[in-house]
Amino acid sequence: SVFFIAGPLTLFISFALSFWLAGKALAPMSELRRSTDAITAEHLDQRLPNPNPTDELGQLTQTINAMIERLDRSFLEIRRFTADASHELRTPLTALRAEVEVAIGKTLSPENSRQLLGGILEELVRMSRLTDQLLTLSRRDAGVEHMVLAPVAVNSVIAGVVEALRPLAESRQIRLHLEGEGVATIQIQGDEGRLRQVFINLLDNALKYTPSEGKVVVRIEKQGQTVIVVVEDSGIGIPPEHLPRVFDRFYRVDKARSREEGGTGLGLSIAESIVKAHGGTIKLQSTVGQGTVCCVILPGNGESNAGPL
């Protein structure tokens, strides 16, 4: 009889003890699940508690916290990008609305009408440039834009960009000089259209912030299989506190002047993303009152036999 009583009792105690131990062991997992469920898109600043970071569960918690941190940064970038883009689009839209209201509310002379239409066209061009840049960045962020890679003669691309912008330099009385014409044609594997966009952005920036009687020099160099393109100007320079952020989207050192010049604060960001997509780097050094030096370093693809430019 003792056996019939002790056996079930022992079994019951063993089952209860096992259930209690299992609950004790799974309690941290349940707490982790509840804490994870509480973290939403609006509360990505929260992190999961991790009392034992050395065990398997603690390592899993560290991995989840790292993932949440990356999501938090991504959401912040998206919110900032959306806010900045909305702000940038609002400015030309407001100007367009004001000018159209003037055109509707007044009887204008032919001369005033031409001036008004010229202002409307200028704002439309600004909006078109901004939307093109936003589309470029959004496609690159989404990973849906693929570059067409082919052998590109860097010398020819840069020479073409310099000649295209020479009239702008002359109109501003800035000396624009290209060094390296005698270097044998340097080829890289890249997207010619995107690389042209990089050098147009850099050279346009240099001309924009260089005063009359100043100079802008573009140099092409080759070190081993590395191609180096330097854009150096004698412009107003960039204060050191702004240098770490010049490649940020929508960032302007001189907001009033940039907007007056039609800048969007996206040119350097786009240039950096294109250079990185080619496996290269872009660096910028500047001294206030003396000028700025921008250096683009690209992996080379050997030297052709096409001879000098």
Side-chain angles (χ1 to χ4, degrees):
S1 60
V2 174
F3 174 79
F4 286 107
I5 296 174
L9 183 60
T10 303
L11 187 62
F12 174 77
I13 293 174
S14 299
F15 178 79
L17 184 61
S18 300
F19 186 80
W20 179 80
L21 290 174
K24 189 76 172 177
L26 293 176
M29 185 66 72
S30 300
E31 179 62 27
L32 180 63
R33 180 184 60 78
R34 285 193 296 270
S35 300
T36 304
D37 289 340
I39 298 177
T40 63
E42 291 76 26
H43 299 92
L44 287 174
D45 57 331
Q46 298 181 12
R47 297 295 180 267
L48 302 177
N50 191 8
N52 298 307
T54 57
D55 61 15
E56 289 80 359
L57 188 59
Q59 293 174 2
L60 174 62
T61 303
Q62 287 179 333
T63 301
I64 295 174
N65 280 336
M67 180 187 67
I68 295 171
E69 187 172 350
R70 291 194 297 271
L71 286 172
D72 190 20
R73 287 199 301 266
S74 298
F75 271 69
L76 286 174
E77 286 293 327
I78 291 171
R79 292 190 187 102
R80 188 175 69 177
F81 183 81
T82 303
D84 289 341
S86 300
H87 177 74
E88 292 296 328
L89 286 169
R90 189 184 302 119
T91 301
L93 284 173
T94 301
L96 282 172
R97 178 179 177 179
E99 289 170 341
V100 171
E101 287 175 349
V102 169
I104 293 174
K106 293 182 179 179
T107 301
L108 302 174
S109 66
E111 180 62 27
N112 289 336
S113 295
R114 280 193 295 271
Q115 291 179 356
L116 188 64
L117 289 173
I120 291 174
L121 179 60
E122 183 179 340
E123 294 300 334
L124 287 173
V125 169
R126 181 179 298 180
M127 283 188 63
S128 178
R129 185 189 306 119
L130 176 59
T131 52
D132 286 344
Q133 292 175 330
L134 289 173
L135 185 60
T136 297
L137 288 173
S138 61
R139 282 176 173 173
R140 192 166 300 281
D141 289 345
V144 297
E145 185 178 47
H146 301 287
M147 296 187 300
V148 180
L149 300 181
V152 178
V154 179
N155 313 54
S156 299
V157 171
I158 295 173
V161 170
V162 169
E163 290 307 311
L165 293 181
R166 193 175 296 282
L168 177 61
E170 292 174 351
S171 69
R172 297 179 177 180
Q173 299 180 334
I174 299 172
R175 289 170 292 163
L176 178 57
H177 181 60
L178 173 62
E179 297 179 358
E181 294 97 329
V183 177
T185 300
I186 303 171
Q187 284 193 343
I188 70 167
Q189 196 73 11
D191 186 311
E192 182 172 343
R194 291 305 182 194
L195 289 171
R196 187 182 302 275
Q197 186 179 7
V198 169
F199 299 121
I200 287 176
N201 285 350
L202 297 182
L203 196 51
D204 181 61
N205 263 2
L207 293 172
K208 187 182 298 180
Y209 296 106
T210 299
S212 298
E213 306 301 329
K215 66 176 181 179
V216 175
V217 177
V218 182
R219 286 195 305 275
I220 308 170
E221 304 172 0
K222 191 168 187 292
Q223 296 180 1
Q225 291 299 310
T226 302
V227 181
I228 302 174
V229 182
V230 179
V231 179
E232 183 176 358
D233 65 62
S234 60
I236 60 177
I238 302 171
E241 65 269 19
H242 293 285
L243 284 175
R245 296 197 59 192
V246 292
F247 292 106
D248 290 355
R249 297 176 182 182
F250 295 106
Y251 190 78
R252 297 186 181 95
V253 176
D254 186 343
K255 294 180 173 57
R257 177 168 180 173
S258 296
R259 195 178 298 279
E260 182 180 337
E261 294 279 354
T264 60
L266 293 173
L268 285 178
S269 178
I270 291 174
E272 183 186 43
S273 68
I274 294 173
V275 170
K276 284 185 175 180
H278 282 80
T281 58
I282 181 169
K283 301 177 181 178
L284 193 144
Q285 296 178 338
S286 187
T287 304
V288 175
Q290 296 184 20
T292 301
V293 179
C294 188
C295 183
V296 177
I297 304 172
L298 295 166
N301 186 36
E303 195 170 88
S304 76
N305 298 318
L309 288 174

